[in-house]
Amino acid sequence: MKKILLLFFFFLSLPIVAQDKKTTTNGIITFEASVPFYEAVEAKNNKVYSLLNTKNGNIIFVVYIKLFNFERSLMQDHFNANYMESKKYPKAIFKGQIEKFSVSKINSIPTDYYIKGRITIHGETKNIKVLAKIAKTTENNISIQSNFSLNTDDYNIDIPFIVRSKISKNVNVNLNCILQ
């Protein structure tokens, strides 16, 4: 009888623990590294993985490099093989914390929060701090939107001399996630 009662309380407590975490597997990240008067250099990835601990504001984002889609397949091939070396460095990872985060303060009005942490891209890890808009959706999910810029030099991403004037070293990144 004690074992059954113990199992009952264990399974009863699982939903309580799970409420401390919000996740998504279909966040969206886009980047743009275009230079005026040249072909657009932009891609989109619809499979951003994210986990938010709502108790302490710790957050993780994982982006698989090969899942970025370009309008032109040749551009995508060069991106994966030559620039990002996606076989050697298959994913980008951010681990950090939302500063001054409290899930009780989140409402339907997007509020600015700073997220700081460490991002690893192309085998290089850097500290970053970005501004994000965080809000609660009508389904009681959490929406995170952020726009920030990364420099290819910071992550040892070599742009060949022949195309250096056609690709910006400053990459504009846009992130949209709904965590459930």
Side-chain angles (χ1 to χ4, degrees):
M1 182 68 176
K2 286 182 184 179
K3 288 182 182 179
I4 293 173
L5 192 57
L6 186 60
L7 283 172
F8 173 74
F9 284 121
F10 174 74
F11 286 114
L12 186 65
S13 68
L14 281 178
I16 295 169
V17 173
Q19 290 176 351
D20 294 342
K21 309 266 192 265
K22 296 275 189 182
T23 64
T24 188
T25 59
N26 58 359
I28 299 169
I29 191 165
T30 60
F31 76 81
E32 186 264 334
S34 302
V35 173
F37 308 113
Y38 288 102
E39 185 174 14
V41 178
E42 53 193 16
K44 183 177 187 178
N45 183 329
N46 295 322
K47 295 291 182 189
V48 174
Y49 300 91
S50 184
L51 171 72
L52 168 64
N53 182 325
T54 57
K55 277 196 169 215
N56 58 20
N58 287 342
I59 192 159
I60 297 171
F61 293 96
V62 178
V63 177
Y64 285 91
I65 303 302
K66 279 195 171 197
L67 296 179
F68 276 102
N69 291 308
F70 289 76
E71 191 172 305
R72 292 188 44 214
S73 61
L74 183 60
M75 198 177 282
Q76 188 165 329
D77 292 343
H78 286 297
F79 172 79
N80 282 301
N82 303 330
Y83 304 114
M84 295 301 291
E85 301 175 274
S86 60
K87 284 186 180 177
K88 187 175 181 181
Y89 308 107
K91 57 190 168 186
I93 301 171
F94 173 84
K95 293 180 182 179
Q97 184 167 38
I98 303 170
E99 293 183 342
K100 300 177 185 174
F101 180 80
S102 172
V103 74
S104 63
K105 293 181 183 176
I106 305 292
N107 58 41
S108 61
I109 300 168
T111 305
D112 289 343
Y113 283 89
Y114 280 102
I115 302 175
K116 74 175 187 175
R118 297 177 61 77
I119 188 168
T120 302
I121 301 172
H122 198 248
E124 296 291 323
T125 302
K126 301 288 179 197
N127 291 323
I128 65 168
K129 184 175 182 177
V130 299
L131 186 65
K133 292 199 176 292
I134 301 176
K136 199 172 276 188
T137 68
T138 55
E139 297 84 25
N140 208 29
N141 298 326
I142 294 178
S143 166
I144 300 177
Q145 298 177 330
S146 184
N147 295 300
F148 54 96
S149 184
L150 298 173
N151 189 308
T152 58
D153 289 343
D154 291 342
Y155 302 96
N156 255 353
I157 299 168
D158 186 38
I159 300 172
F161 182 76
I162 197 162
V163 292
R164 201 167 285 157
S165 63
K166 298 178 183 181
I167 301 173
S168 176
K169 285 184 173 276
N170 292 314
V171 179
N172 297 314
V173 180
N174 182 299
L175 172 76
N176 289 299
C177 290
I178 305 288
L179 296 115
Q180 304 174 351

